[in-house]
């Protein structure tokens, strides 16, 4: 019989899988909070702040090398108050202190390793530090000793450096009030700059490493819809095609890895994130609507099915991520030797010729394409689809018997909002009931586990325990998802809830000084600066999603104040739109919406009676369309958009309108589809 762990620290009481991974380190970790900050002041010690996330490969490496080392832990415990933060639970801390690391070192990444004064001012930092001097990097023990010595013996210098850096961050992250409205010229300029960095061979923008850019691709589809430029559409199609055929796309189980380490989308960083897959599923749905290319619908459906198979939790929500590693080896779950593939296919009854054809199709060779093994990708001409499906099922079954990657099963509000948006779009555009059912379950999860005090949100939940007040991105993305679910499920209570959450967002997060939303509210800890999310990262910025949501709610509710706030956000980013178009994909989509006459389709009747109409209306590529089901007796029937359109004898009727001028009401799905196509054309 073996004993328990040799060490247990304060992280043992947390719910974050990332924090729990460090709960038995010999490091005397604190979670971020008053206890840790008080300890730093009372012990007169600097803070060592370590920020990472559960699917981060180098975070695991630094833990094994340093945080599990008894001598390094003793040095940390003696000289510092060590705080461990899950960046996914606390994006506010991650944003502020990553900006500090970037200012000090010129680059950033995770794990983030930062040293703070007891007043939370950063004065030294970096990312990964090895356990000893290596490859020009100082060893972590040497860094710790030097910082501790400086804090003891050059305190005034350290504190002055911290104040200067804090001032720099306040200036860097300040948002001036915007004075100029952006317009279509900014979209045109963005397309031109994106074309200059477009990789015409492999798709995507720039070289390696290469990240999916779903917000940028959806912006380009909007631009193409306006000007019909074939070169703009080509950028989207080449990128969608190459990503779908690359190793970044799981050819067996669906879903996408975080990014590709090469320019050709072959070698992924193998972690799979909820947000990437939600955003990419929606992007492929938009590609399908714009081009009617069936392969995009297949990729979108496969990605949503991956969410349901691998990230769905029993309570209806969605887990955050799958690790890159399994069995301590990066990517081992996903890669194959030639002999492994051949043996599985032989056992499935495929003859040698078929096995050879499939190996060529998936790029499986004796030498492999990554560390002696093969990453499956589309490398050859597609053979018989029935044969491919038979082989795929066999390989997927064999893979399921391997040690699985770890799953970070915390449920984050913003990311679940993105999943709700994608599933709801899949339910309408693809006409798939399983995605509608999943949307309904996710709505129930949000109500039960994330909603509090009527119209406030928690950021995170796990195992029925919810905590951390929601951030601006949580309110914006949950409201965004609810608007999609409202259209897909014809449940008017979801529109009411989205409107209530937007009211909370305005009340608690609006910053009059900048005319934008701050990331944090009075419920959150104050740090050296209050951040405002304006630039897209791997996820769309909180302000971009909020601007788009407020524009739609302004139309639905007839609320001019929401429209004013949305346009204030757009004005705030106008000076930066020309400089960094790739950083403002979702914001420029909101600019595009704001510069166009509103397009809406009110559909009256019961949810079942209107299903065919709603699906038909969702088929054409009309990204500005607001689909608004109206069921009798709903509390919003008196809003201006719905007045005079109440359900009559129960028959489903669609009112398709542009700029408050409506076509003839119709109950014919085919006619309603044609009406949407006609009014969504530029210049119509």
């Amino acid at each position: 019989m073996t004993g328990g762990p040799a060490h247990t620290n304060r992280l043992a009481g947390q719910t974050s899988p990332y924090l729990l991974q460090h709960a038995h380190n010999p490091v005397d970790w604190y979670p971020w909070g008053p206890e840790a900050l008080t300890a730093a002041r009372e012990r007169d010690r600097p803070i060592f702040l370590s920020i990472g996330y559960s699917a981060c490969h180098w975070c695991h490496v630094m833990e094994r090398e340093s945080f599990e080392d008894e001598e390094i832990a003793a040095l940390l415990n003696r000289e510092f108050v060590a705080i461990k933060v899950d960046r996914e639970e606390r994006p506010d801390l991650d944003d502020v202190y990553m900006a500090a690391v970037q200012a000090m070192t010129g680059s950033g990444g995770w794990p983030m390793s930062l040293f703070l004064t007891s007043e939370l001012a950063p004065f030294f930092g970096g990312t990964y530090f090895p356990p000893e001097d290596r490859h020009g990097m100082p060893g972590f023990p040497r860094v710790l000793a030097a910082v501790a010595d400086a804090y003891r013996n050059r305190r005034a210098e350290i504190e002055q450096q911290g104040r200067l850096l804090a001032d720099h961050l306040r200036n860097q992250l300040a948002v001036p009030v915007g004075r100029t409205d952006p317009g279509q010229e900014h979209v045109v300029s963005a397309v031109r700059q994106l074309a200059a960095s477009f990789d015409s061979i492999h798709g995507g923008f720039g070289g390696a490493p290469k990240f999916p850019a779903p917000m940028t691709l959806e912006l380009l589809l909007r631009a193409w819809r306006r000007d019909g430029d074939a070169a703009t559409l080509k950028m989207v199609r080449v990128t969608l095609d190459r990503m779908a055929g690359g190793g970044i796309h799981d050819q067996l189980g669906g879903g996408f890895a975080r990014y590709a380490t090469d320019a050709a989308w072959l070698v992924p960083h193998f972690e799979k994130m909820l947000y990437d897959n939600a955003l990419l599923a929606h992007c492929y749905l938009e590609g399908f609507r714009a081009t009617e290319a069936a392969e995009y619908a297949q990729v979108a459906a496969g990605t949503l099915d991956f969410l349901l198979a691998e990230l769905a939790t029993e309570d209806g929500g969605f887990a955050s991520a799958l690790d890159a590693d399994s069995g301590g080896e990066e990517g081992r779950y996903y890669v194959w030797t030639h002999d492994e593939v051949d043996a599985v296919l032989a056992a499935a009854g495929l003859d040698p010729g078929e096995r050879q054809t499939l190996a060529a199709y998936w790029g499986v060779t004796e030498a492999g394409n990554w560390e002696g093994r093969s990453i499956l990708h589309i490398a050859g001409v597609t053979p018989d689809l029935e044969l491919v499906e038979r082989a795929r099922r066999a390989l997927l079954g064999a893979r399921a018997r391997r040690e699985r990657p770890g799953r970070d099963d915390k449920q984050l509000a913003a990311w679940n909002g993105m999943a709700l948006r994608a599933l709801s779009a899949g339910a309408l555009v693809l006409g798939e009931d399983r995605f509608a059912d999943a949307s309904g379950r996710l709505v129930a999860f949000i109500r039960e586990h994330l909603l509090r005090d009527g119209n406030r949100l928690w950021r995170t939940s796990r195992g029925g325990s919810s905590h951390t007040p929601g951030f601006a991105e949580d309110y914006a993305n949950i409201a965004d998802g609810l608007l999609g679910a409202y259209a897909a499920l014809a449940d008017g209570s979801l529109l009411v809830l989205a409107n209530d959450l937007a009211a909370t967002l305005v009340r608690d997060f609006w910053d009059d000084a900048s005319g934008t939303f701050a990331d944090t509210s009075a419920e959150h800890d104050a740090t050296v600066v209050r951040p405002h999310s304006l630039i897209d990262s791997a996820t769309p910025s909180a302000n971009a999603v909020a601007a788009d949501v407020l524009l739609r709610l302004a139309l639905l509710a007839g609320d001019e104040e929401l429209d004013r706030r949305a346009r204030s956000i757009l004005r705030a980013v106008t000076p930066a739109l020309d400089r960094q178009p790739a950083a403002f994909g979702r914001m420029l989509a909101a600019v595009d919406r704001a510069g166009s006459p509103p397009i809406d389709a009110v559909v009256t009747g019961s949810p079942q009676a209107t299903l065919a109409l709603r699906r038909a209306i969702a088929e054409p590529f009309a990204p500005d369309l607001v689909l608004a089901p109206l069921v009798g007796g709903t509390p919003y029937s008196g809003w201006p958009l719905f007045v005079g359109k109440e359900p009559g004898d129960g028959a489903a009727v669609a009112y398709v309108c542009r700029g408050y001028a409506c076509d003839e009401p119709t109950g014919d799905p085919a006619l309603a589809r044609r009406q949407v196509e006609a009014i969504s054309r530029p210049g119509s």
Side-chain angles (χ1 to χ4, degrees):
M1 181 176 178
T2 59
H7 304 278
T8 299
N9 56 52
R10 294 170 183 82
L11 300 183
Q14 299 296 298
T15 61
S16 159
Y18 175 66
L19 299 186
L20 290 172
Q21 288 167 5
H22 295 76
H24 299 296
N25 295 162
V27 177
D28 186 18
W29 290 114
Y30 288 79
W32 182 278
E35 183 184 5
L37 306 184
T38 299
R41 288 190 292 270
E42 290 180 348
R43 292 177 55 197
D44 192 27
R45 293 287 187 271
I47 291 169
F48 170 65
L49 177 63
S50 176
I51 301 181
Y53 58 104
S54 70
C56 166
H57 173 72
W58 286 101
C59 298
H60 298 320
V61 172
M62 192 165 178
E63 180 191 14
R64 290 194 299 268
E65 292 178 340
S66 294
F67 301 145
E68 292 181 352
D69 182 278
E70 297 282 353
E71 292 185 7
I72 293 176
L75 178 56
L76 261 174
N77 296 340
R78 184 175 65 250
E79 301 289 352
F80 301 89
V81 170
I83 300 178
K84 175 63 73 172
V85 168
D86 182 338
R87 67 176 293 260
E88 296 168 352
E89 287 194 334
R90 294 303 303 263
D92 56 328
L93 300 176
D94 185 60
D95 287 349
V96 169
Y97 290 118
M98 182 60 75
V101 169
Q102 290 170 334
M104 287 185 279
T105 68
S107 62
W110 299 276
M112 187 200 307
S113 304
L114 198 62
F115 297 89
L116 317 178
T117 69
S118 59
E119 301 304 316
L120 307 184
F123 61 88
F124 181 75
T127 54
Y128 163 79
F129 289 106
E132 67 279 323
D133 295 356
R134 183 192 299 163
H135 305 307
M137 290 187 291
F140 192 44
R142 186 153 72 91
V143 170
L144 294 176
V147 171
D149 177 75
Y151 199 78
R152 278 194 306 270
N153 299 313
R154 301 197 305 277
R155 178 72 62 87
E157 178 184 335
I158 291 294
E159 291 178 344
Q160 173 68 3
Q161 185 173 330
R163 285 192 293 270
L164 290 173
L165 186 53
D167 288 342
H168 170 78
L169 292 175
R170 282 188 280 271
N171 291 330
Q172 176 186 336
L173 300 178
V175 180
V177 173
R179 305 295 180 189
T180 305
D181 288 313
Q184 283 302 316
E185 67 276 13
H186 292 92
V187 177
V188 172
S189 175
V191 173
R192 185 168 56 248
Q193 291 189 53
L194 289 165
S197 64
F198 175 62
D199 180 343
S200 61
I201 304 299
H202 302 297
F205 305 91
K210 189 170 282 183
F211 291 80
M215 292 81 77
T216 297
L217 296 175
E218 290 193 21
L219 171 67
L220 290 173
L221 284 174
R222 279 178 165 271
W224 166 75
R225 174 177 116 350
R226 287 194 174 280
D227 61 24
D229 188 339
T232 302
L233 182 60
K234 180 182 178 182
M235 286 192 279
V236 178
R237 296 207 65 164
V238 171
T239 303
L240 293 179
D241 291 345
R242 299 296 185 271
M243 285 197 303
I248 191 175
H249 182 212
D250 185 346
Q251 301 298 325
L252 300 181
F256 288 83
R258 174 76 276 272
Y259 63 89
T261 62
D262 63 326
W265 306 107
L266 173 62
V267 180
H269 192 335
F270 289 93
E271 62 195 301
K272 287 182 174 179
M273 312 300 296
L274 174 59
Y275 59 77
D276 282 321
N277 285 283
L279 294 169
L280 283 165
H282 192 275
C283 184
Y284 275 92
L285 286 170
E286 292 295 86
F288 170 60
R289 292 206 302 161
T291 67
E292 299 184 356
E295 58 268 29
Y296 298 158
Q298 292 166 1
V299 173
T303 304
L304 294 175
D305 282 331
F306 158 75
L307 295 185
L308 298 180
E310 299 287 348
L311 295 180
T313 53
E314 291 183 359
D315 52 14
F318 286 87
S320 295
L322 297 181
D323 282 0
D325 298 7
S326 55
E329 186 177 345
E330 184 179 6
R332 181 65 189 94
Y333 185 71
Y334 299 102
V335 297
W336 300 82
T337 65
H338 183 276
D339 288 348
E340 287 172 336
V341 170
D342 196 64
V344 170
L345 297 185
L350 277 67
D351 65 41
E354 291 171 328
R355 303 199 301 270
Q356 184 177 1
T357 296
L358 288 162
Y361 170 63
W362 276 316
V364 179
T365 64
E366 294 282 358
N369 52 34
W370 185 70
E371 298 184 358
R373 292 186 170 92
S374 291
I375 299 167
L376 303 190
H377 63 291
I378 307 304
V381 177
T382 304
D384 177 73
L385 292 178
E386 184 176 333
L387 178 64
V388 171
E389 180 58 20
R390 183 179 167 193
R392 187 191 71 83
R393 287 197 302 267
L395 290 170
L396 193 61
R399 192 176 78 176
R401 294 189 289 273
R402 296 175 174 176
E403 181 177 345
R404 300 179 67 82
R407 186 170 85 157
D408 183 333
D409 57 357
K410 71 176 179 292
Q411 301 139 314
L412 298 173
W415 300 6
N416 273 266
M418 295 173 203
L420 182 57
R421 172 180 179 248
L423 286 164
S424 300
L428 282 175
V429 175
L430 303 177
E432 294 289 354
D433 290 340
R434 67 184 182 280
F435 300 144
D437 293 342
S439 297
R441 292 193 299 272
L442 181 47
V443 166
F445 164 79
I446 290 167
R447 288 189 184 277
E448 182 175 355
H449 295 288
L450 297 179
L451 196 63
R452 61 189 172 98
D453 305 329
N455 58 359
R456 289 179 183 267
L457 292 171
W458 292 118
R459 166 68 173 180
T460 185
S461 182
R462 181 173 182 261
S465 176
S466 303
H467 62 88
T468 305
F471 298 95
E473 70 166 359
D474 296 310
Y475 286 87
N477 281 287
I478 290 288
D480 193 24
L482 288 169
L483 289 179
Y486 158 61
L489 304 177
D491 180 349
S493 71
L494 305 184
L495 172 56
V496 175
L497 180 55
N499 197 51
D500 288 346
L501 292 176
T504 303
L505 180 63
V506 169
R507 183 189 69 217
D508 292 353
F509 294 85
W510 186 257
D511 175 26
D512 283 320
S514 65
T516 67
F517 289 109
D519 293 348
T520 57
S521 71
E523 290 190 284
H524 298 100
D525 306 311
T527 57
V528 293
V529 63
R530 192 182 185 197
H532 298 67
S533 173
L534 296 167
I535 296 175
D536 291 342
S537 56
T539 57
S541 75
N543 273 282
V545 178
D548 194 53
V549 166
L550 295 187
L551 288 170
R552 284 178 283 157
L553 282 173
L555 170 64
L556 287 161
D559 190 332
E560 293 183 1
E561 181 62 18
L562 295 181
D563 185 83
R564 183 189 70 78
R565 291 183 192 273
R567 294 176 190 275
S568 172
I569 294 169
L570 301 181
R571 282 194 295 273
V573 299
T574 298
L577 293 179
D578 285 332
R579 296 195 302 270
Q580 294 177 279
F584 292 100
R586 187 71 187 269
M587 192 76 77
L588 282 162
V591 169
D592 187 56
R593 181 188 296 278
S596 308
I599 300 173
D600 63 88
V602 174
V603 182
T604 67
S606 71
Q608 194 55 43
T610 61
L611 182 58
L613 266 178
R614 287 183 285 118
R615 286 179 173 175
I617 287 167
E619 286 175 2
F621 181 58
D624 288 333
L625 178 73
V626 175
L627 177 54
L630 176 62
V631 180
T634 54
Y636 56 85
S637 58
W639 292 0
L641 185 70
F642 301 98
V643 170
K645 300 171 185 173
E646 293 82 0
D649 58 3
V653 178
Y655 301 80
V656 178
C657 309
R658 178 185 176 93
Y660 308 103
C662 299
D663 286 336
E664 179 105 11
T666 181
D668 179 4
L671 177 56
R673 186 188 197 282
R674 292 195 297 272
Q675 289 176 340
V676 170
E677 288 176 331
I679 67 170
S680 64
R681 293 192 197 104
S684 60

